[in-house]
Amino acid sequence: MALVLARRFAALAVTLVAATMIIFLIMEILPGDPAAIILGVGAQPDTLAALRAELGLDLPVGTRYGRWVLGLVTGDLGQSYTYSVPVSELIGERIWVSLPLALISMVLTVLIAIPAGVFAASRRGRLADTGVSALAQIGIAIPNFWFAMLLILVFAVSLGWAPAGGFAGWDQGPGSALRSLALPAIALALPQAAILTRVTRSSVLETLGEDYVRTARAKGLTLNAALWRHAVRNALIPVVTIMGLQFSFLLAGTIIIENVFYLPGLGRLLFQAIAQRDLIVVKDLVVLLAGTVVIVNFLVDLAYLALDPRLRQAHAHAL
Amino acid sequence: MDLLSVSNLSVGFDTPSGQIRILDQISFTVGRGQSVGLVGESGCGKSMTALAIMGLLPVAARATGTIKLDGQDLLTLDDTAMSGLRGRRLAMIFQEPMTALNPVQTIGHQVAEGVRWHLGLGRRAARRTAAELVARVGLPAGRQGLGRYPHELSGGQRQRVVIAMALACGPDILIADEPTTALDVTTQGQILDLLVQITATEKMGLLLITHDLGVIAQMTDRMMVLYAGRIVETGPTAGVFNAMAHPYTRGLFAALPSSDLVTSGPRGRERLAAIPGDVPAPSEALQFGCAFAPRCPLAETRCRSSEPPQIALQADHSVACFRPQGQT
């Protein structure tokens, strides 16, 4: 068990290092000199050279990569070219919008998808199953930015239950902050919940046909008890895999959704940084997002170990 | 009164092209402490008989007739009422111990589940009961034993766990569907011995389903031979072995590889016989006449046109055949 964990952890570290290398390399290859962007087209060559020296852009590639990674580890993410504040400060403010948004969406996704999928599977071929499957199909087909606008029209403009956009901030109390996040979270969660519902349904259908479910029924468990106690936990293994992948989609989704709802989050920061060629912010944000995805995948691996006792041993031999 | 009494049980599936019969009017009884064998090739309806008694037939299946447990007709009960009987009064052991256990739960948990469910025992009491059960089937019962997962056990050990689960609530009827088919030959004997010992001490009724006449001879008091959904021969095991009347029973016997039985059998040791042909698919069988006629070496015209009657040969031994063998 400890060996399995150590292996997973080593893989995590290697992936993170590789991610920083790839991101750094891509940003190197991209055309555009940050100093020229900051100073504008008409800048004098000596001013440019001075700024390049100040930003450390004249140093060899290896040194700059080393400094950047060292900065990432120590929490010094550099200075934003456009905002002229430390990037860590920019991220520090906005992460409290994006992280809760992603987590609430993930929780919503799971709360909708797992009961709906299990319910549909337990009534295979009946009206309820067809209904859930049809809704899931619609949920997958609807683009989330369009659904976001629909939500704004209905719940913000017509009913006035939630703000149409903007973020009240956590210092106003969690109530108003959560109200600002409600519609974006629903818009983000819907397509993911639809996908996860279908995955859950087919996975549960598969496990329901397993011999051990019949064994559980032979012990006297009712169909529902056999379903929840024996079929669902075994069915969760593929579901957790998909959830890990979906978390990356949720992060990507925040870029669009935060723009639709004018939320001051990381997605919106990334969008603006790209538009303004604030390359250091882009680089740091991409590392942060990549790191999140890698860590989520690590957590998914841990979830496998918790769900399936066979893996706790098998992988000690396999890897 | 017999503990379990099945009469005129038929099971069919509704399909777009009409009803397909899997079991046709089968009747038998299992008394307390009695061991009854049901023998036949794959696909002749043995497992369906077991599932019908357990009330676990596939949704599309229709069962008619009566299945009485202590006089109560199980076919009239709804699923909730049947759930109350399953595991408590009726228990079942399955053919595939490799897949019959939940891979993500410890064996202690799975053995304890039945008593927790039916008897409402708490976690600790259920665990104690599980430890006793596991010890009774010859497995280590300590924390180490109960905390193991199915993938850590061998096939024979898993089948012992399945037996422990079946015994959990002290059932009256134990149905064993090919309990040793998936096991090594050396393990088969141990599991059969365990079943004999347990059903004898608990005075359970045992319905043993197998394709192996050797197991039937060793384990049962009475036997039934099932072919294409019908009982073609039934009687006390010793009586049937002494005077096999149906050509199909004889065919099964001749196909036995076990040397000690074959030498004393009617065909001697000459060769390992096979019955030509296959069990007919349910959609093809049971139209006219005897279902075995197409494979029967003795079939005559009437065998193909009309159904053979049940003929009582002697004490409790009857056969459904126009040309019963070995009768003088």
Side-chain angles (χ1 to χ4, degrees):
Chain A
M1 184 72 184
L3 188 65
V4 178
L5 276 180
R7 281 205 171 104
R8 295 285 157 103
F9 203 77
L12 170 81
V14 170
T15 319
L16 275 175
V17 170
T20 59
M21 283 182 177
I22 292 168
I23 291 158
F24 188 82
L25 211 64
I26 291 173
M27 301 311 275
E28 278 304 302
I29 296 167
L30 280 184
D33 178 2
I37 293 164
I38 294 168
L39 292 176
V41 235
Q44 295 298 315
D46 53 338
T47 341
L48 263 180
L51 185 59
R52 286 175 61 84
E54 192 193 322
L55 294 175
L57 293 173
D58 53 346
L59 297 168
V61 173
T63 317
R64 278 186 287 134
Y65 174 73
R67 284 192 178 185
W68 179 55
V69 171
L70 194 72
L72 287 178
V73 175
T74 55
D76 174 15
L77 304 183
Q79 186 100 357
S80 160
Y81 303 147
T82 51
Y83 293 89
S84 297
V85 291
V87 181
S88 52
E89 202 171 290
L90 286 176
I91 291 177
E93 286 166 11
R94 285 159 174 80
I95 200 163
W96 297 113
V97 178
S98 295
L99 191 66
L101 178 60
L103 288 179
I104 294 170
S105 306
M106 201 69 230
V107 170
L108 275 179
T109 301
V110 170
L111 286 184
I112 296 169
I114 291 182
V118 173
F119 176 75
S122 70
R123 282 166 181 69
R124 180 185 198 170
R126 289 198 253 161
L127 192 65
D129 178 26
T130 317
V132 170
S133 298
L135 283 178
Q137 196 62 53
I138 293 169
I140 292 170
I142 293 178
N144 58 8
F145 64 87
W146 183 82
F147 185 63
M149 294 191 286
L150 197 73
L151 286 176
I152 292 173
L153 270 179
V154 175
F155 293 101
V157 178
S158 302
L159 296 170
W161 289 355
F167 185 66
W170 292 101
D171 44 2
Q172 304 289 311
S176 59
L178 287 175
R179 256 161 56 103
S180 320
L181 292 179
L183 294 186
I186 293 169
L188 267 179
L190 177 86
Q192 306 304 335
I195 294 168
L196 201 61
T197 301
R198 290 173 63 100
V199 173
T200 307
R201 174 182 177 272
S202 63
S203 185
V204 170
L205 278 182
E206 204 167 297
T207 50
L208 269 182
E210 295 284 349
D211 284 352
Y212 53 77
V213 173
R214 191 186 53 188
T215 308
R217 293 279 283 146
K219 271 188 222 172
L221 268 65
T222 56
L223 192 58
N224 259 326
L227 177 75
W228 285 103
R229 293 180 190 199
H230 291 272
V232 171
R233 178 160 168 204
N234 280 285
L236 280 184
I237 293 165
V239 172
V240 166
T241 310
I242 302 295
M243 276 169 56
L245 293 173
Q246 284 188 312
F247 198 78
S248 331
F249 284 113
L250 279 180
L251 288 177
T254 57
I255 298 175
I256 297 165
I257 290 296
E258 286 177 357
N259 275 296
V260 174
F261 285 95
Y262 292 100
L263 291 176
L266 294 177
R268 194 161 160 78
L269 178 65
L270 181 62
F271 182 77
Q272 287 168 339
I274 292 170
Q276 295 161 352
R277 303 276 142 129
D278 197 343
L279 295 186
I280 192 138
V281 174
V282 174
K283 205 156 59 174
D284 288 341
L285 272 178
V286 173
V287 167
L288 181 72
L289 294 182
T292 313
V293 170
V294 171
I295 289 167
V296 165
N297 281 324
F298 176 68
L299 294 177
V300 166
D301 282 347
L302 293 189
Y304 286 157
L305 296 180
L307 283 172
D308 192 342
R310 286 167 294 185
L311 297 178
R312 289 171 213 161
Q313 288 186 328
H315 277 239
H317 304 292
L319 276 172
Chain B
M1 181 169 45
D2 290 305
L3 188 57
L4 180 74
S5 152
V6 174
S7 55
N8 299 320
L9 174 67
S10 295
V11 172
F13 285 89
D14 290 323
T15 68
S17 53
Q19 218 208 29
I20 292 174
R21 277 204 157 180
I22 308 289
L23 287 177
D24 189 24
Q25 304 271 326
I26 71 168
S27 302
F28 63 91
T29 61
V30 181
R32 196 171 284 281
Q34 195 184 25
S35 165
V36 176
L38 183 59
V39 68
E41 285 167 283
S42 313
C44 66
K46 292 171 297 178
S47 292
M48 281 297 158
T49 311
L51 293 177
I53 297 169
M54 293 296 288
L56 291 176
L57 284 171
V59 184
R62 300 272 166 277
T64 56
T66 57
I67 301 172
K68 285 186 173 164
L69 179 68
D70 272 340
Q72 185 181 30
D73 188 358
L74 303 182
L75 287 181
T76 61
L77 297 179
D78 64 8
D79 193 62
T80 318
M82 272 311 285
S83 292
L85 295 177
R86 279 194 287 264
R88 198 165 57 81
R89 300 203 58 197
L90 297 164
M92 186 160 171
I93 297 168
F94 298 97
Q95 179 173 356
E96 278 296 336
M98 302 318 255
T99 55
L101 295 171
N102 188 334
V104 305
Q105 291 181 352
T106 63
I107 61 167
H109 183 96
Q110 294 188 60
V111 172
E113 186 171 30
V115 287
R116 295 194 66 182
W117 178 263
H118 285 296
L119 313 177
L121 260 56
R123 192 179 291 270
R124 302 187 69 176
R127 209 169 169 78
R128 262 200 308 278
T129 313
E132 286 163 17
L133 287 163
V134 165
R136 257 179 72 197
V137 298
L139 289 173
R143 179 178 292 273
Q144 292 254 296
L146 292 176
R148 285 191 293 177
Y149 287 95
H151 70 271
E152 297 171 275
L153 306 179
S154 71
Q157 289 174 320
R158 292 188 202 192
Q159 196 61 298
R160 287 175 191 268
V161 173
V162 175
I163 293 171
M165 288 183 344
L167 297 178
C169 299
D172 300 311
I173 293 281
L174 182 63
I175 300 171
D177 186 3
E178 304 265 12
T180 58
T181 306
L183 302 178
D184 291 341
V185 181
T186 45
T187 320
Q188 287 182 1
Q190 298 170 14
I191 295 291
L192 291 176
D193 288 345
L194 179 66
L195 279 177
V196 170
Q197 173 216 324
I198 280 166
T199 46
T201 49
E202 299 284 320
K203 292 257 175 273
M204 280 176 206
L206 174 69
L207 176 63
L208 179 70
I209 295 172
T210 175
H211 64 276
D212 187 343
L213 272 182
V215 172
I216 294 280
Q218 187 186 337
M219 297 275 297
T220 61
D221 309 321
R222 283 187 64 81
M223 64 181 282
M224 305 170 273
V225 181
L226 197 63
Y227 188 79
R230 284 181 193 155
I231 293 176
V232 295
E233 184 162 6
T234 179
T237 305
V240 174
F241 271 83
N242 281 333
M244 293 184 185
H246 200 281
Y248 179 62
T249 317
R250 299 191 147 220
L252 279 181
F253 189 82
L256 263 187
S258 162
S259 52
D260 52 340
L261 278 164
V262 173
T263 37
S264 60
R267 296 187 59 167
R269 201 196 258 272
E270 47 202 37
R271 68 193 170 94
L272 206 58
I275 306 174
D278 293 303
V279 178
S283 52
E284 297 157 7
L286 306 170
Q287 304 283 337
F288 304 102
C290 173
F292 187 60
R295 301 171 72 189
C296 181
L298 308 168
E300 310 171 331
T301 325
R302 59 177 168 167
C303 298
R304 298 194 176 85
S305 57
S306 51
E307 197 177 320
Q310 283 282 343
I311 303 168
L313 301 171
Q314 43 190 293
D316 253 5
H317 183 183
S318 68
V319 65
C321 184
F322 288 115
R323 301 185 62 185
Q325 298 299 292
Q327 308 303 314
T328 45

